[in-house]
Amino acid sequence: MPITVDIDVMLARRKMSVGELAERVGITPANLAVLKNGRAKAVRFATLAALCEALECQPGDLLRWEPDTGDDAGAAAGIAASEG
């Protein structure tokens, strides 16, 4: 996926545990792990804002775009082609 989540980096910089961040944000540690490990399909702006507030950072500190490596590009192209 071309969007990479860097919550681990900010957790390390802030010397904060996943459990503490989850509590501050108001989500379960399991849901935070899904987001942290890049398995989330979406994130609410309210959750992103709460993460930024708890970690004292900007959204760009948590999310970054990387060019697609081609691993799932064919699947995405197949979906786009069938929708058109």
Side-chain angles (χ1 to χ4, degrees):
M1 174 182 268
I3 301 295
T4 301
V5 181
D6 288 328
I7 291 176
D8 282 338
V9 174
M10 292 307 298
L11 282 170
R13 287 182 183 168
R14 302 296 186 249
K15 297 183 172 125
M16 189 182 300
S17 71
V18 171
E20 182 181 349
L21 179 59
E23 185 176 321
R24 287 185 184 196
V25 173
I27 62 176
T28 66
N31 283 340
L32 182 57
V34 167
L35 180 60
K36 183 174 78 79
N37 295 324
R39 295 186 315 245
K41 299 294 181 194
V43 61
R44 293 175 188 251
F45 282 142
T47 302
L48 183 58
L51 286 166
C52 290
E53 182 177 353
L55 292 168
E56 299 178 359
C57 67
Q58 294 295 311
D61 296 326
L62 301 177
L63 304 172
R64 65 186 153 88
W65 177 84
E66 293 183 346
D68 199 350
T69 60
D71 294 339
D72 58 20
I79 292 170
S82 67
E83 290 177 355

